[in-house]
Amino acid sequence: MFGVDLRQVVAGILTLAMFVMLIHMIKRDHFDAVQDKLPGVTDEVSFESGKFDGTHVRKNLGLYKGDADELKACWVKPSDMGVQSEGYVTFSLTNGPEYHISQIADAVIVARSLGATLVIPDIRGSQPGDKRNFEDIYDLDVFMRSMEGVVAVVKNLPDQISTKNIAVVKVPNRVTEDYIATHVEPIYRSKGNIRLATYFPTINMRKAGKKGDTDSVACLAMFGSLELQPEIRDLVDSMVERLKTLSRKTDGQFIAVDLRVEMLDKKGCRPDNDGEKSCYNAQEIAVFLRKIGFNKDTTIYVTESRWDSSLDSLKDLFPKTYTKKAIMPADKKTKFLDSQDSELEKVIDFYISSQSDVFVPAISGLLYANVAGKRIGAGKTQILVPADIQDSSASASNFLSPYVSKKNHFAYSCYC
């Protein structure tokens, strides 16, 4: 019989054990984007607040799940516009793209209902004199083509019509045919031309009770008419690709967090009478993300334009946290950042938030509502609404936006 060298046997056993350990290490670091919730390894977390020292947060392997197949537009094409009147409807886009979407929809619905011609809007920022052309941000040709057969559109008001003689009419967001007939049409018939100003009594983006021609027009206007002009679209795409490159350890997946520091002190961010919160600061977002399972390798984009010291608590737990300034190509910063042009910055934030793998609205409001609409249409339904979690860990699926979990967003009237 052949002799057996005990040292060779021991070496073989050690080699096999090391191989098995290597396999487990590889599995532990891999995010499974297919399964929603599986038991994973624990990862020790020490929070600076001291409240959560020594807790273990379970790695949720389905954290980035939520991207369903992209839905298809299923709204019925609006019927051809009827008899046209001779009047015009003018308006401006204001306050950022989350407002633009709603303002466009209301203006198209009003103009179509009145049989009026819609004038391409200008875009106005928050500062006096901050005014630009529609095509500076959006693709004019795409918008004009989308409106063919729906409403008549002209680029400019005819020279013979003075803007001083146009009546200003306020309409609520999600304006209805009944409201137009009662409050808008009499003024239009009397004056001949009107200028719309949309106001937002509530942020209502839930589905309507029944579908009709107005809903079809709203679907088209909100989701089929506005596209970024090429330069801005290419910039957003390059920034998204940069974030994906920085996310190699999470298979190119990243989170966008709508967190604007200046908003946190405003009235809308204060807890209501029941103590319910609608806004969360950087530290609260950091704790929330760690407790639902995101680890230190997670890449986070925050909508705050420039670094603020209050974001340090987020970066302490998530070192790969970035603002626009950190990921924007150097040759674009002068035009899009150094000019202090908040309107362009809002556009970048809105569209990156619409394309991220996970979206976390630290601030409740219209940006959250209209980003949710665009994400639903694209099948990017992983929208996680923050909360104060009392336990040491929780499942991310418990914090899925009601817009998605209940399918009650207006976008579900437009896509299927």
Side-chain angles (χ1 to χ4, degrees):
M1 291 183 63
F2 294 99
V4 178
D5 189 331
L6 185 60
R7 289 175 298 181
Q8 290 180 331
V9 174
V10 173
I13 292 172
L14 289 173
T15 301
L16 180 61
M18 291 175 67
F19 181 72
V20 172
M21 287 175 63
L22 179 61
I23 290 175
H24 283 292
M25 288 172 67
I26 292 172
K27 286 183 177 179
R28 186 175 65 186
D29 288 333
H30 178 66
F31 279 98
D32 187 341
V34 177
Q35 293 172 289
D36 180 41
K37 189 171 63 171
L38 290 174
V41 300
T42 57
D43 192 15
E44 186 168 338
V45 181
S46 176
F47 292 98
E48 287 191 351
S49 65
K51 186 176 179 180
F52 306 104
D53 284 350
T55 59
H56 287 72
V57 176
R58 183 186 63 202
K59 219 182 233 183
N60 186 332
L61 300 182
L63 287 171
Y64 293 101
K65 187 190 174 186
D67 284 13
D69 292 335
E70 187 170 343
L71 302 179
K72 294 181 180 179
C74 58
W75 62 80
V76 178
K77 180 176 172 55
S79 57
D80 287 342
M81 52 190 176
V83 178
Q84 289 295 107
S85 60
E86 295 182 356
Y88 294 84
V89 170
T90 69
F91 68 112
S92 293
L93 299 179
T94 60
N95 298 323
E98 66 269 32
Y99 287 86
H100 298 174
I101 289 174
S102 297
Q103 290 163 343
I104 281 282
D106 291 329
V108 172
I109 288 169
V110 169
R112 179 178 169 85
S113 178
L114 298 176
T117 297
L118 187 70
V119 180
I120 292 291
D122 57 11
I123 300 174
R124 302 193 181 189
S126 56
Q127 301 300 321
D130 186 1
K131 180 179 174 181
R132 57 172 43 83
N133 294 323
F134 180 88
E135 56 267 33
D136 291 339
I137 290 180
Y138 297 110
D139 190 315
L140 179 59
D141 291 336
V142 167
F143 180 75
M144 296 286 279
R145 287 196 302 270
S146 71
M147 292 294 111
E148 289 177 358
V150 178
V151 66
V153 181
V154 294
K155 189 172 181 181
N156 298 299
L157 197 64
D159 292 338
Q160 66 270 24
I161 299 177
S162 172
T163 56
K164 295 179 180 179
N165 298 326
I166 296 179
V168 176
V169 181
K170 291 184 177 181
V171 296
N173 179 38
R174 304 288 297 275
V175 66
T176 64
E177 291 281 359
D178 288 344
Y179 187 94
I180 295 169
T182 303
H183 300 282
V184 181
E185 187 169 0
I187 299 173
Y188 175 74
R189 300 302 174 197
S190 171
K191 300 292 185 180
N193 305 290
I194 58 173
R195 178 173 178 80
L196 293 183
T198 297
Y199 67 96
F200 294 80
T202 61
I203 297 171
N204 174 21
M205 288 308 300
R206 292 187 177 88
K207 285 195 295 188
K210 60 180 181 178
K211 292 186 178 181
D213 188 68
T214 300
D215 270 1
S216 296
V217 175
C219 287
L220 173 65
M222 294 180 74
F223 302 116
S225 71
L226 289 181
E227 289 186 12
L228 295 177
Q229 54 97 330
E231 182 186 12
I232 300 179
R233 183 181 65 236
D234 290 346
L235 172 62
V236 170
D237 289 346
S238 71
M239 293 172 71
V240 169
E241 286 304 311
R242 174 65 176 152
L243 287 163
K244 289 181 178 293
T245 300
L246 292 165
S247 309
R248 285 188 292 269
K249 290 188 177 181
T250 53
D251 295 330
Q253 299 175 109
F254 70 95
I255 302 174
V257 177
D258 178 31
L259 176 58
R260 290 159 283 159
V261 176
E262 75 280 1
M263 294 290 292
L264 298 178
D265 293 328
K266 294 190 175 181
K267 183 178 179 180
C269 272
R270 296 170 191 162
D272 61 21
N273 294 332
D274 298 323
E276 293 293 326
K277 295 175 65 171
S278 59
C279 304
Y280 292 81
N281 62 33
Q283 183 173 3
E284 292 168 329
I285 291 296
V287 172
F288 169 73
L289 292 175
R290 287 306 289 265
K291 283 194 168 191
I292 62 174
F294 288 101
N295 67 19
K296 64 182 178 60
D297 292 322
T298 303
T299 299
I300 297 176
Y301 172 83
V302 291
T303 55
E304 179 69 24
S305 293
R306 293 154 188 81
W307 196 261
D308 185 271
S309 60
S310 65
L311 299 176
D312 290 347
S313 56
L314 180 59
K315 198 173 184 69
D316 287 343
L317 291 183
F318 298 96
K320 297 166 73 173
T321 297
Y322 304 98
T323 62
K324 283 181 283 298
K325 187 174 182 179
I327 62 169
M328 185 178 289
D331 62 338
K332 299 294 184 181
K333 288 182 179 179
T334 300
K335 179 174 182 179
F336 291 96
L337 282 182
D338 297 344
S339 65
Q340 304 291 314
D341 191 331
S342 62
E343 200 70 18
L344 293 175
E345 294 179 16
K346 289 176 184 177
V347 169
I348 293 168
D349 289 334
F350 184 88
Y351 284 89
I352 290 180
S353 296
S354 300
Q355 294 182 41
S356 63
D357 299 281
V358 178
F359 175 57
V360 177
I363 301 166
S364 179
L366 197 60
L367 188 141
Y368 160 42
N370 276 334
V371 164
K374 289 193 73 67
R375 293 182 66 92
I376 289 166
K380 290 184 170 291
T381 54
Q382 193 70 331
I383 305 168
L384 304 177
V385 177
D388 292 324
I389 302 172
Q390 300 304 314
D391 297 329
S392 61
S393 65
S395 171
S397 60
N398 293 338
F399 304 97
L400 191 64
S401 167
Y403 282 139
V404 175
S405 62
K406 297 181 180 180
K407 288 184 166 46
N408 65 6
H409 194 286
F410 177 69
Y412 285 109
S413 298
C414 306
Y415 291 98
C416 55

